[in-house]
Amino acid sequence: MIAAKLIEDTARELMARAAIDIPATAREREQNRLAHFVLTEMERNWDIATADRRPMCADTGLPRYYVRAGNEAQVEGGFVALERALRRATADATATIPLRPNRVHPLTRVDYNNNVGAHAPEVTYAFEPGADWIDVTTVHKGGLFGSDYRMLFPADGVGGIKRFFVDTLVQFGKRGLACQPAIMGVGIGGAKDTCVRLGKEAACLRTVGSRHPDPAVARLEADLTALGNYVGIGAMGFAGTSHTGGMPVGIHAFCLSSRRATARMHADGRVEFRSDPKWFTDYYRREGME
């Protein structure tokens, strides 16, 4: 039985790690002088944030959770207790880290100053057979950070996907909808909400440089990465090469800082923190009947 208090304490720690700590950047690979300078200054800011244990960016986005539950996992009080623990952790972290309280009522603009509200924080679930643990990944994703959707015709093919991808990158750069260099996630297929959700998960939960196990999809990923770098929108909109990245297609941009953190909780009280959410498992990508 996984204690609700363990979930709350772990989620609170994940909130801090996601807001403060970052993975490695592409600074050493950046050849443009001005873009390299910007990335260097960004890393200095991250170092200061880590030393002071303060958020790396004033805009801490909209906190959300991705929960992967083993099929044999049991939570004290059930999954309602898990969600209550995540909401308490969010409110507490907003006050103590602190996080910027970005959640308001969409019509009245009422702000409870704790990032908690209707459907907030969002909790997305996935499951894994033959496991008794629970993974929780915290993500801080800016609400204004770019996303787009287009319903292509099947005849548009891969070329249509590439055109939409490049159009989106250019528009994001011109309109300031993504803090460059951004991590780009692309979701293809399904209903509109499905491809948009997959694009968000790809941007927020996959590690930079990973490739899809399907060779055809992996080739498209490589082509999109090359196209993204060719566009030439570098750090903070300056020229550069540091990018990561019918027939419905959803595209999401995620902060270079990759503001996320993951922990696996066990019934015996053990907690294992890691940087890779490992969200896209073989079971998650399964096809056909089982």
Side-chain angles (χ1 to χ4, degrees), residues 163-181:
R163 284 191 295 273
F164 175 41
F165 180 74
V166 172
D167 289 347
T168 301
L169 285 187
V170 172
Q171 289 303 311
F172 283 1
K174 288 182 176 179
R175 298 166 60 195
L177 292 179
C179 296
Q180 305 290 346

PDB file of all heavy atoms in Angstrom, residues 163-181:
ATOM      1  N   ARG A 163       5.567  20.571 -43.946  1.00  0.00           N
ATOM      2  CA  ARG A 163       5.218  21.973 -44.217  1.00  0.00           C
ATOM      3  C   ARG A 163       4.539  22.604 -43.004  1.00  0.00           C
ATOM      4  O   ARG A 163       4.843  23.752 -42.630  1.00  0.00           O
ATOM      5  CB  ARG A 163       4.316  22.067 -45.446  1.00  0.00           C
ATOM      6  CG  ARG A 163       5.033  21.900 -46.775  1.00  0.00           C
ATOM      7  CD  ARG A 163       4.138  22.260 -47.948  1.00  0.00           C
ATOM      8  NE  ARG A 163       3.017  21.342 -48.062  1.00  0.00           N
ATOM      9  CZ  ARG A 163       3.053  20.192 -48.737  1.00  0.00           C
ATOM     10  NH1 ARG A 163       4.158  19.818 -49.339  1.00  0.00           N
ATOM     11  NH2 ARG A 163       1.978  19.421 -48.817  1.00  0.00           N
ATOM     12  N   PHE A 164       3.624  21.887 -42.392  1.00  0.00           N
ATOM     13  CA  PHE A 164       2.946  22.397 -41.203  1.00  0.00           C
ATOM     14  C   PHE A 164       3.945  22.628 -40.075  1.00  0.00           C
ATOM     15  O   PHE A 164       3.881  23.644 -39.368  1.00  0.00           O
ATOM     16  CB  PHE A 164       1.858  21.403 -40.773  1.00  0.00           C
ATOM     17  CG  PHE A 164       1.165  21.753 -39.489  1.00  0.00           C
ATOM     18  CD1 PHE A 164       0.811  23.061 -39.193  1.00  0.00           C
ATOM     19  CD2 PHE A 164       0.851  20.757 -38.564  1.00  0.00           C
ATOM     20  CE1 PHE A 164       0.173  23.375 -37.996  1.00  0.00           C
ATOM     21  CE2 PHE A 164       0.224  21.065 -37.375  1.00  0.00           C
ATOM     22  CZ  PHE A 164      -0.115  22.368 -37.088  1.00  0.00           C
ATOM     23  N   PHE A 165       4.882  21.723 -39.912  1.00  0.00           N
ATOM     24  CA  PHE A 165       5.892  21.837 -38.866  1.00  0.00           C
ATOM     25  C   PHE A 165       6.736  23.103 -39.054  1.00  0.00           C
ATOM     26  O   PHE A 165       6.926  23.895 -38.120  1.00  0.00           O
ATOM     27  CB  PHE A 165       6.783  20.591 -38.885  1.00  0.00           C
ATOM     28  CG  PHE A 165       7.868  20.580 -37.847  1.00  0.00           C
ATOM     29  CD1 PHE A 165       7.583  20.350 -36.512  1.00  0.00           C
ATOM     30  CD2 PHE A 165       9.191  20.792 -38.213  1.00  0.00           C
ATOM     31  CE1 PHE A 165       8.588  20.329 -35.560  1.00  0.00           C
ATOM     32  CE2 PHE A 165      10.198  20.769 -37.270  1.00  0.00           C
ATOM     33  CZ  PHE A 165       9.901  20.537 -35.939  1.00  0.00           C
ATOM     34  N   VAL A 166       7.232  23.316 -40.276  1.00  0.00           N
ATOM     35  CA  VAL A 166       8.061  24.489 -40.540  1.00  0.00           C
ATOM     36  C   VAL A 166       7.242  25.772 -40.395  1.00  0.00           C
ATOM     37  O   VAL A 166       7.702  26.755 -39.799  1.00  0.00           O
ATOM     38  CB  VAL A 166       8.683  24.403 -41.949  1.00  0.00           C
ATOM     39  CG1 VAL A 166       9.392  25.711 -42.303  1.00  0.00           C
ATOM     40  CG2 VAL A 166       9.675  23.247 -42.013  1.00  0.00           C
ATOM     41  N   ASP A 167       6.012  25.783 -40.927  1.00  0.00           N
ATOM     42  CA  ASP A 167       5.149  26.963 -40.776  1.00  0.00           C
ATOM     43  C   ASP A 167       4.951  27.309 -39.313  1.00  0.00           C
ATOM     44  O   ASP A 167       4.983  28.485 -38.915  1.00  0.00           O
ATOM     45  CB  ASP A 167       3.775  26.705 -41.415  1.00  0.00           C
ATOM     46  CG  ASP A 167       3.830  26.672 -42.933  1.00  0.00           C
ATOM     47  OD1 ASP A 167       4.855  27.084 -43.501  1.00  0.00           O
ATOM     48  OD2 ASP A 167       2.842  26.207 -43.547  1.00  0.00           O
ATOM     49  N   THR A 168       4.735  26.280 -38.498  1.00  0.00           N
ATOM     50  CA  THR A 168       4.490  26.496 -37.074  1.00  0.00           C
ATOM     51  C   THR A 168       5.722  27.059 -36.383  1.00  0.00           C
ATOM     52  O   THR A 168       5.631  28.008 -35.583  1.00  0.00           O
ATOM     53  CB  THR A 168       4.067  25.178 -36.403  1.00  0.00           C
ATOM     54  OG1 THR A 168       2.880  24.679 -37.033  1.00  0.00           O
ATOM     55  CG2 THR A 168       3.790  25.390 -34.922  1.00  0.00           C
ATOM     56  N   LEU A 169       6.898  26.507 -36.678  1.00  0.00           N
ATOM     57  CA  LEU A 169       8.128  27.008 -36.061  1.00  0.00           C
ATOM     58  C   LEU A 169       8.353  28.479 -36.390  1.00  0.00           C
ATOM     59  O   LEU A 169       8.706  29.282 -35.521  1.00  0.00           O
ATOM     60  CB  LEU A 169       9.327  26.190 -36.542  1.00  0.00           C
ATOM     61  CG  LEU A 169       9.524  24.787 -35.970  1.00  0.00           C
ATOM     62  CD1 LEU A 169      10.855  24.223 -36.453  1.00  0.00           C
ATOM     63  CD2 LEU A 169       9.486  24.791 -34.460  1.00  0.00           C
ATOM     64  N   VAL A 170       8.149  28.829 -37.652  1.00  0.00           N
ATOM     65  CA  VAL A 170       8.359  30.213 -38.069  1.00  0.00           C
ATOM     66  C   VAL A 170       7.382  31.148 -37.360  1.00  0.00           C
ATOM     67  O   VAL A 170       7.759  32.214 -36.859  1.00  0.00           O
ATOM     68  CB  VAL A 170       8.226  30.331 -39.593  1.00  0.00           C
ATOM     69  CG1 VAL A 170       8.257  31.798 -40.023  1.00  0.00           C
ATOM     70  CG2 VAL A 170       9.353  29.566 -40.289  1.00  0.00           C
ATOM     71  N   GLN A 171       6.108  30.752 -37.299  1.00  0.00           N
ATOM     72  CA  GLN A 171       5.112  31.588 -36.640  1.00  0.00           C
ATOM     73  C   GLN A 171       5.374  31.710 -35.150  1.00  0.00           C
ATOM     74  O   GLN A 171       5.218  32.789 -34.563  1.00  0.00           O
ATOM     75  CB  GLN A 171       3.707  31.027 -36.898  1.00  0.00           C
ATOM     76  CG  GLN A 171       3.234  31.218 -38.317  1.00  0.00           C
ATOM     77  CD  GLN A 171       3.248  32.692 -38.722  1.00  0.00           C
ATOM     78  OE1 GLN A 171       2.741  33.548 -38.000  1.00  0.00           O
ATOM     79  NE2 GLN A 171       3.842  32.976 -39.873  1.00  0.00           N
ATOM     80  N   PHE A 172       5.761  30.601 -34.503  1.00  0.00           N
ATOM     81  CA  PHE A 172       6.089  30.657 -33.074  1.00  0.00           C
ATOM     82  C   PHE A 172       7.220  31.649 -32.840  1.00  0.00           C
ATOM     83  O   PHE A 172       7.204  32.425 -31.883  1.00  0.00           O
ATOM     84  CB  PHE A 172       6.494  29.281 -32.563  1.00  0.00           C
ATOM     85  CG  PHE A 172       5.336  28.340 -32.338  1.00  0.00           C
ATOM     86  CD1 PHE A 172       4.034  28.715 -32.602  1.00  0.00           C
ATOM     87  CD2 PHE A 172       5.555  27.054 -31.856  1.00  0.00           C
ATOM     88  CE1 PHE A 172       2.977  27.855 -32.395  1.00  0.00           C
ATOM     89  CE2 PHE A 172       4.506  26.182 -31.638  1.00  0.00           C
ATOM     90  CZ  PHE A 172       3.216  26.579 -31.914  1.00  0.00           C
ATOM     91  N   GLY A 173       8.236  31.600 -33.711  1.00  0.00           N
ATOM     92  CA  GLY A 173       9.374  32.488 -33.555  1.00  0.00           C
ATOM     93  C   GLY A 173       9.008  33.942 -33.771  1.00  0.00           C
ATOM     94  O   GLY A 173       9.412  34.822 -33.004  1.00  0.00           O
ATOM     95  N   LYS A 174       8.200  34.223 -34.797  1.00  0.00           N
ATOM     96  CA  LYS A 174       7.824  35.605 -35.098  1.00  0.00           C
ATOM     97  C   LYS A 174       6.912  36.197 -34.032  1.00  0.00           C
ATOM     98  O   LYS A 174       6.979  37.386 -33.733  1.00  0.00           O
ATOM     99  CB  LYS A 174       7.129  35.664 -36.459  1.00  0.00           C
ATOM    100  CG  LYS A 174       8.056  35.459 -37.652  1.00  0.00           C
ATOM    101  CD  LYS A 174       7.288  35.581 -38.959  1.00  0.00           C
ATOM    102  CE  LYS A 174       8.208  35.472 -40.161  1.00  0.00           C
ATOM    103  NZ  LYS A 174       7.447  35.578 -41.437  1.00  0.00           N
ATOM    104  N   ARG A 175       6.032  35.373 -33.480  1.00  0.00           N
ATOM    105  CA  ARG A 175       5.026  35.866 -32.535  1.00  0.00           C
ATOM    106  C   ARG A 175       5.457  35.720 -31.077  1.00  0.00           C
ATOM    107  O   ARG A 175       4.706  36.072 -30.171  1.00  0.00           O
ATOM    108  CB  ARG A 175       3.713  35.113 -32.757  1.00  0.00           C
ATOM    109  CG  ARG A 175       3.120  35.333 -34.146  1.00  0.00           C
ATOM    110  CD  ARG A 175       2.031  34.326 -34.459  1.00  0.00           C
ATOM    111  NE  ARG A 175       0.934  34.410 -33.497  1.00  0.00           N
ATOM    112  CZ  ARG A 175       0.002  33.463 -33.368  1.00  0.00           C
ATOM    113  NH1 ARG A 175       0.063  32.370 -34.104  1.00  0.00           N
ATOM    114  NH2 ARG A 175      -0.970  33.611 -32.491  1.00  0.00           N
ATOM    115  N   GLY A 176       6.640  35.195 -30.841  1.00  0.00           N
ATOM    116  CA  GLY A 176       7.122  35.053 -29.473  1.00  0.00           C
ATOM    117  C   GLY A 176       6.350  34.041 -28.665  1.00  0.00           C
ATOM    118  O   GLY A 176       6.187  34.182 -27.443  1.00  0.00           O
ATOM    119  N   LEU A 177       5.859  32.971 -29.324  1.00  0.00           N
ATOM    120  CA  LEU A 177       5.053  31.965 -28.632  1.00  0.00           C
ATOM    121  C   LEU A 177       5.883  30.832 -28.063  1.00  0.00           C
ATOM    122  O   LEU A 177       5.330  29.900 -27.491  1.00  0.00           O
ATOM    123  CB  LEU A 177       3.999  31.396 -29.597  1.00  0.00           C
ATOM    124  CG  LEU A 177       2.901  32.374 -30.019  1.00  0.00           C
ATOM    125  CD1 LEU A 177       1.946  31.709 -30.990  1.00  0.00           C
ATOM    126  CD2 LEU A 177       2.135  32.876 -28.799  1.00  0.00           C
ATOM    127  N   ALA A 178       7.196  30.895 -28.217  1.00  0.00           N
ATOM    128  CA  ALA A 178       8.060  29.861 -27.661  1.00  0.00           C
ATOM    129  C   ALA A 178       9.403  30.473 -27.326  1.00  0.00           C
ATOM    130  O   ALA A 178       9.981  31.191 -28.143  1.00  0.00           O
ATOM    131  CB  ALA A 178       8.241  28.702 -28.651  1.00  0.00           C
ATOM    132  N   CYS A 179       9.885  30.237 -26.109  1.00  0.00           N
ATOM    133  CA  CYS A 179      11.203  30.734 -25.708  1.00  0.00           C
ATOM    134  C   CYS A 179      12.253  29.856 -26.380  1.00  0.00           C
ATOM    135  O   CYS A 179      12.491  28.728 -25.950  1.00  0.00           O
ATOM    136  CB  CYS A 179      11.353  30.693 -24.190  1.00  0.00           C
ATOM    137  SG  CYS A 179      10.221  31.782 -23.314  1.00  0.00           S
ATOM    138  N   GLN A 180      12.859  30.376 -27.433  1.00  0.00           N
ATOM    139  CA  GLN A 180      13.803  29.581 -28.207  1.00  0.00           C
ATOM    140  C   GLN A 180      15.125  29.418 -27.467  1.00  0.00           C
ATOM    141  O   GLN A 180      15.543  30.317 -26.757  1.00  0.00           O
ATOM    142  CB  GLN A 180      14.050  30.247 -29.565  1.00  0.00           C
ATOM    143  CG  GLN A 180      12.802  30.514 -30.362  1.00  0.00           C
ATOM    144  CD  GLN A 180      12.151  29.246 -30.876  1.00  0.00           C
ATOM    145  OE1 GLN A 180      12.766  28.176 -30.849  1.00  0.00           O
ATOM    146  NE2 GLN A 180      10.918  29.353 -31.321  1.00  0.00           N
ATOM    147  N   PRO A 181      15.827  28.294 -27.687  1.00  0.00           N
ATOM    148  CA  PRO A 181      15.412  27.145 -28.486  1.00  0.00           C
ATOM    149  C   PRO A 181      14.395  26.306 -27.727  1.00  0.00           C
ATOM    150  O   PRO A 181      14.534  26.081 -26.536  1.00  0.00           O
ATOM    151  CB  PRO A 181      16.703  26.371 -28.712  1.00  0.00           C
ATOM    152  CG  PRO A 181      17.539  26.701 -27.529  1.00  0.00           C
ATOM    153  CD  PRO A 181      17.191  28.114 -27.149  1.00  0.00           C
TER     154      PRO A 181
END
